[in-house]
Structures are given as structure tokens and as C-alpha cells.
Amino acid sequence: MNITVVGSGYVGLVTASCLASSGNHVMAADSDRHKIEALSRGKCTFFEPGLREMLADGLDSGRLKFSTDIANAVSQAQVVFICVGTPSLEDGSADLSAVEDIACSIAQNMSDGLLVVIKSTVPVGAARRVSELIESRTAHPCTVVSNPEFLREGTALNDFLRPDRVVVGTNDPEAMQVMRELYAPFVRTNQNILFVSNEAAEMIKYASNAYLATRISFINEIADICARTGVDVGQVRAGLGADKRIGSGYLFPGAGYGGSCFPKDVQALIHVGQQAGADVGILRQVHLRNERQKRLLAEMVLERLGPDLTGRTIALWGLAFKPDTDDIRQAPAMEVIRRLRQAGATLRCYDPKACLNARYELGDVGDGVTFECDPYAVLDGADALVICTEWNEFRTPQFDVIRRKLKERIIFDGRNLYEPATLLRQRLEYHSIGRQPTAPVKSISSKPIRNAV
Ligand SMILES: NC(=O)c1ccc[n+]([C@@H]2O[C@H](COP(=O)([O-])OP(=O)(O)OC[C@H]3O[C@@H](n4cnc5c(N)ncnc54)[C@H](O)[C@@H]3O)[C@@H](O)[C@H]2O)c1
């Protein structure tokens, strides 16, 4: 099939590359000229495991092409996927201006029988509005379906190529047939395509993200109760997750969820609910708990080292909002850095992939933040280490090097990567989420530390 994908970011580039890999001819379009130039040369504009190779294969095969000429790309397509961003507006609602721009461009350049597929996350009623927008600007018939994307950054290719389910909002038999053909290579084993109304497809996406965010905020609240009652949240999490009705996914206490989806989608759903007159108390609390959680790690540092960190150096591991991505949008690490910098600390940061993006994002923070390519180099001259992202390479570090280099020998772990007993054996003071701090007896602490040996 001849497909155009508009928007070549995380979702668009994965969609375009995967559809080209299954034999389609795909034109990936974007308004960002620099992005398109880089992609045309085979240079991936963000880090996603396996994507660089898939991009190279697509370009080599001639089935994947890139363009900034959206009008031309639309005019040649049988199917147009809309994959542009839908960021939060001030009031929390989703900004649909890019989606609507594309709709206008489609109306001006399409030919008969075009299928428009909305992959961007959009609120209930958006597909209908896009359809009306197109119909009001052209006499050509066209069908608009909502096909929300569920991929996770870090495992995006596998998620797209082997989805749990594909959700398609349409009852049009021709659109159903085209979508079945497009997804057939990816759902061979489970045939799991759900055809629902456009509105239900839109809501399924928001409800899915809101539910996952709820689990995270829930376990973070349990972690808070555990910390205050002397219970190890790690043990509670294990017992909770072992119940088949509950399962263990998205139940890890930590420094809060980030990324470009959960925070904005929870807020957008709150807005949709409010507009419809619904009680959105649960969703509101999910969001508020997460805002508090993102401040927690910095507060732990300030409580332990004092409110004035002038002259102190803090080493920080992990800038991305999750491992295996370079995405720092809404990442808890950004909040931690800003807060500690405000208190006067100098920060030395390491992340395997996200340093460039973080440097750009933190431009306003000034000279007090530096980035290194070696996790142990950032420890030189540092008082303490703060961990914000659970990259695999942090799971079994050289504790003896950490101990030798850190002046105060303290780790603040926002992802509960280690067993407190292990850190005690390693003679490191250890603060984590929802568990008692532990410290060797000689540690100097402004606050009594339980479990000292
Ligand atoms: N990133 C994820 O993990 C993920 C997962 C599922 C769904 N989504 C949803 O998919 C959508 C896209 O997310 P993303 O992370 O890929 O965003 P992104 O910011 O990485 O990419 C969006 C792209 O759209 C381009 N763009 C914006 N306006 C345009 C216009 N008018 N014409 C042409 N190109 C335009 C931008 O230049 C950018 O390259 C969002 O609605 C998001 O909520 C994202």
C-alpha cells in the first residue's frame, strides 16, 4: 500500500519504519526540516533500540522515504497516518492544533477514497471533528478512523510489531478491511484487532494510560505509608504483585512517572471528564500524588544534607524519564536537578543516552550542571549520589568505587535498585523510596538513621 505518515517523532518514525518493513511504500513527512534531512541520511533523531537498523533497512529497500512536502505526500497516499504531537495546553486539555492543521492539508491535497488514521492521542470526539473539518473543505469522500498507539519508548519496535491488541475506531467495512490488511503481519498469532466506535477507541487510549498511571501513584502512596510505618514496600510490592488478579506491572515505587504521555494524558482525561460534568476525583489524586512524588527525591537530599547546598556537589545517574530512551520530557530527574540547583548544589550528571537532550532542556539552570560520559567520573568530588532512572547498567555497580569516591558515601535511590542489606555490607548510607534509610554506624547524619549496624 502507499502510505503517508505525518509526524516523524517517536510514534511516527516507528510506525513508518514498521509499515515499510512489512512491504508497504511509506512516505514519512514532518514540518521539521532538520529532522527530515537527518532521517533521509539514515540518522535517527532519537534513541530507540533497533530503530536505527530498521531505518537503514527501510531506506536501502527504497520503501521508506522522507519529505517536508506534506501536500505532495498526502496527494500520493491511499492511507494517511496522523502522528503529530498533542501536548497539554495551560488548562490541561490536549492541543489539537497540529492534528487540525494536517486535516486541512489533507482536505486540500487528497484524492477520492482516502483513509485517514489518527494515531496521535486525542480526546473523545476528535476523529469526528477531523472528519467534519475535511468534509467541509473538499468534495472528495474520505473515512477517518481512530487507531491509538500503545507503544512504549524503549520497547517501541517490539510493541508495534507484536501488539497486545490493535484498537480501531470504525464500523465502515472498507476501512476495516484496509486496517486488517495493514496490521495482518503484526497480529498473525493473536489476530487481536478490536473494532469499536471512534469515540471508544479514543477513550480506550486515555483510560489505559490513566489506569497505568493510577497503579504507579497507588504504589507510591503505599510506599509513603510503608516509610512512615516501618514496613519494606519492596516486600509489600512482591506480595501484591503475586496475586494474579493484580499482577506486578507498573507497581514499582519510585520518583514518579514522567514522559510525554502519562502526565499529559491524565490531565487531558481530567479535562474531558470535567467538561462532561463527571467526578474526576481519582484522576486528580493520581496527578497530584505524582507531582508530590517527583519532588520527593530532592526533598530527601535536602532533609539529609540540609537546606543550603552551597559548596556541595551531587552526582546524578539517569536523566531519561525511563531506561532505554533518550526522552527527558517530564522526567523526574529534571525536577530533582532544578530543585537541588536552587538550593545551591553543583550537579554532575550521567546518562547513557539522554545527556544531550537534558543539556538542551536545562539550558536555563546555568553553569552549575555538567554532564559526563562515564558514570564513575561524575562521582569525583561529589558528596552524594542520586539515582533517577533504572538503567540496567546501574543495577550492579562497583560499590567499592562509589564508596571511595563519594565524600559522604550516601546514595539516594529514586528507583529502589538495591537491597538495603547489600548497601549496608558495602558501608554506604542508603535512602530509597518507601523503605527505612540504612547506614553504617560511623555515618554522620543530621537525622537518626534506623537499621544502623
Ligand atoms: N511517545 C510515546 O511513547 C507515545 C506512545 C503512544 C502515543 N503517543 C502519542 O502520539 C503522538 C505523537 O507523540 P510523539 O512522542 O511521537 O511526539 P513527537 O514530539 O516525538 O513527534 C511529533 C512530530 O510531529 C511533527 N509535527 C508537529 N506538527 C506538525 C505539523 N503541523 N506538520 C507536520 N509535522 C508536524 C513534529 O515536528 C514532530 O517530529 C502524541 O499524541 C502522543 O501522545 C506517544
Side-chain angles (χ1 to χ4, degrees):
M1 250 179 263
N2 284 334
I3 297 170
T4 286
V5 176
V6 188
S8 300
Y10 286 87
V11 167
L13 186 57
V14 169
T15 301
S17 304
C18 290
L19 290 172
S21 79
S22 61
N24 298 291
H25 287 263
V26 183
M27 179 66 79
D30 201 289
S31 51
D32 183 334
R33 186 170 48 83
H34 298 294
K35 196 172 269 191
I36 291 300
E37 273 169 17
L39 292 170
S40 306
R41 283 185 278 111
K43 192 170 179 326
C44 231
T45 41
F46 56 89
F47 172 71
E48 178 62 41
L51 187 56
R52 190 159 45 107
E53 294 76 6
M54 198 178 234
L55 169 64
D57 287 349
L59 289 168
D60 286 350
S61 71
R63 288 196 303 272
L64 179 59
K65 296 196 165 92
F66 292 92
S67 174
T68 51
D69 188 347
I70 292 161
N72 182 50
V74 166
S75 71
Q76 298 185 8
Q78 295 163 271
V79 183
V80 173
F81 279 84
I82 301 180
C83 300
V84 294
T86 49
S88 288
L89 288 170
E90 270 306 84
D91 63 359
S93 64
D95 179 357
L96 296 180
S97 54
V99 172
E100 289 171 358
D101 277 357
I102 309 301
C104 295
S105 184
I106 287 172
Q108 282 156 15
N109 299 288
M110 64 178 277
S111 39
D112 272 2
L114 181 70
L115 178 62
V116 176
V117 183
I118 304 179
K119 254 203 177 309
S120 300
T121 303
V122 291
V124 171
R128 184 152 22 92
R129 279 206 297 283
V130 165
S131 182
E132 286 164 3
L133 208 57
I134 296 174
E135 273 171 26
S136 67
R137 285 170 162 73
T138 178
H140 295 294
C142 132
T143 309
V144 178
V145 307
S146 174
N147 170 220
E149 181 50 57
F150 298 98
L151 65 78
R152 295 160 297 174
E153 290 173 23
T155 51
L157 293 188
N158 189 55
D159 290 344
F160 195 99
L161 296 170
R162 279 171 279 276
D164 286 346
R165 80 305 202 188
V166 172
V167 173
V168 180
T170 189
N171 56 12
D172 178 281
E174 277 178 43
M176 282 174 156
Q177 186 50 32
V178 173
M179 294 303 280
R180 261 199 206 96
E181 280 174 33
L182 278 178
Y183 279 103
F186 314 127
V187 295
R188 274 187 313 194
T189 41
N190 59 14
Q191 292 298 311
N192 206 359
I193 304 192
L194 291 174
F195 289 103
V196 295
S197 71
N198 259 331
E199 289 76 8
E202 291 161 340
M203 187 55 102
I204 287 169
K205 174 63 189 176
Y206 277 114
S208 302
N209 275 0
Y211 175 67
L212 295 173
T214 302
R215 285 176 67 100
I216 297 171
S217 279
F218 172 79
I219 196 68
N220 281 333
E221 192 154 307
I222 295 294
D224 188 15
I225 301 170
C226 285
R228 291 165 195 271
T229 51
V231 180
D232 181 338
V233 73
Q235 295 182 5
V236 174
R237 189 194 65 74
L240 196 58
D243 186 326
K244 283 201 182 74
R245 295 168 303 174
I246 298 172
S248 57
Y250 292 80
L251 269 186
F252 294 90
Y257 59 75
S260 68
C261 292
F262 286 5
K264 95 168 160 59
D265 293 349
V266 169
Q267 279 175 279
L269 188 53
I270 290 172
H271 190 268
V272 167
Q274 270 173 337
Q275 294 289 98
D279 177 354
V280 289
I282 293 177
L283 297 173
R284 234 192 258 286
Q285 288 307 320
V286 167
H287 173 67
L288 288 177
R289 157 62 62 185
N290 195 57
E291 292 293 292
R292 282 203 298 280
Q293 205 69 22
K294 283 168 86 171
R295 292 194 293 268
L296 179 64
L297 202 47
E299 280 165 10
M300 284 161 60
V301 177
L302 293 168
E303 193 177 323
R304 172 64 182 86
L305 297 179
D308 183 2
L309 298 181
T310 311
R312 297 277 202 173
T313 299
I314 306 294
L316 187 139
W317 283 2
L319 297 159
F321 84 93
K322 61 186 276 195
D324 295 318
T325 180
D326 60 358
D327 196 345
I328 46 88
R329 292 179 283 184
Q330 305 283 322
M334 302 301 112
E335 183 110 8
V336 172
I337 292 170
R338 288 209 162 88
R339 184 66 194 94
L340 296 183
R341 190 72 200 106
Q342 221 174 39
T346 297
L347 285 118
R348 309 192 69 193
C349 310
Y350 167 77
D351 186 286
K353 297 289 174 195
C355 283
L356 262 182
N357 284 344
R359 193 193 296 271
Y360 184 73
E361 165 76 16
L362 292 165
D364 59 319
V365 180
D367 297 339
V369 187
T370 55
F371 302 90
E372 306 273 350
C373 304
D374 175 350
Y376 296 99
V378 299
L379 303 174
D380 290 328
D383 292 280
L385 168 65
V386 175
I387 302 176
C388 293
T389 316
E390 64 275 35
W391 283 95
N392 242 346
E393 66 178 68
F394 301 155
R395 288 185 187 275
T396 43
Q398 295 171 271
F399 287 118
D400 53 331
V401 179
I402 298 177
R403 189 174 57 242
R404 214 172 47 241
K405 291 195 171 203
L406 285 183
K407 286 195 225 155
E408 298 246 15
R409 299 181 173 178
I410 310 173
I411 297 181
F412 297 93
D413 179 1
R415 298 296 167 191
N416 288 8
L417 294 183
Y418 314 120
E419 279 307 315
T422 309
L423 279 263
L424 259 188
R425 277 199 303 279
Q426 294 291 344
R427 286 173 286 130
L428 285 159
E429 186 177 319
Y430 184 51
H431 299 252
S432 54
I433 310 289
R435 302 186 294 189
Q436 296 295 297
T438 53
V441 263
K442 277 188 189 149
S443 146
I444 304 149
S445 165
S446 58
K447 206 181 155 213
I449 301 272
R450 267 170 272 183
N451 297 355
V453 291

